[in-house]
Amino acid sequence: MDLQEQLKNLFPDHVPSEEPKKEEKPTVWLQDEPLICKYEKRKGKPITIIEGYNGADHDFKQLAKEIKQLLSVGGSFKNEQIIIQGDYRDRIMKFLQEKGFKTKRVGG
């Protein structure tokens, strides 16, 4: 017997109410122009570069941290670019679109 059934037995007249869904507020500033997601090779190793964000640096750094944690890879934030180790363009673009950003794929 699960908890819901036990509660119904204890309180037969009670009608459970639906909890209101909480809307997620964006943690970073969303812009109108798309973020550019491109692929490069540096020293023979693939990297993914995200650029074109015109909000605050703090927000872009937070976004870089979230992407690195999502993919479990290394990366950095330099010269207003997020540099991610490896070719993860598709997964990064999907993540950014779920956050509410527009994305543009550049190169190959």
Side-chain angles (χ1 to χ4, degrees):
M1 195 186 300
D2 67 338
L3 180 62
Q4 294 295 330
E5 291 176 14
Q6 291 176 1
L7 289 173
K8 286 180 186 177
N9 290 338
L10 291 173
F11 305 104
D13 296 333
H14 177 70
V15 178
S17 62
E18 293 290 325
E19 292 183 19
K21 293 183 179 179
K22 297 178 182 177
E23 292 185 24
E24 289 187 25
K25 293 184 179 179
T27 56
V28 295
W29 181 77
L30 301 176
Q31 64 184 24
D32 294 332
E33 294 94 34
L35 291 177
I36 297 170
C37 189
K38 62 184 179 179
Y39 168 78
E40 283 185 12
K41 276 195 171 185
R42 292 188 183 171
K43 298 180 183 177
K45 304 208 176 181
I47 61 168
T48 304
I49 299 174
I50 299 133
E51 60 185 17
Y53 187 72
N54 53 14
D57 281 350
H58 174 72
D59 289 346
F60 208 37
K61 287 179 185 178
Q62 180 65 31
L63 191 62
K65 183 178 179 180
E66 290 176 13
I67 291 171
K68 291 190 296 185
Q69 287 178 345
L70 170 77
L71 301 172
S72 301
V73 296
S76 65
F77 174 80
K78 292 182 183 175
N79 302 328
E80 298 182 0
Q81 295 179 334
I82 298 175
I83 301 170
I84 303 293
Q85 297 173 356
D87 183 11
Y88 295 102
R89 285 176 290 182
D90 295 330
R91 291 177 64 188
I92 292 172
M93 288 173 64
K94 183 179 176 186
F95 172 74
L96 291 173
Q97 288 168 354
E98 289 173 359
K99 294 268 277 174
F101 287 99
K102 296 176 187 172
T103 58
K104 185 174 183 180
R105 186 180 181 132
V106 176

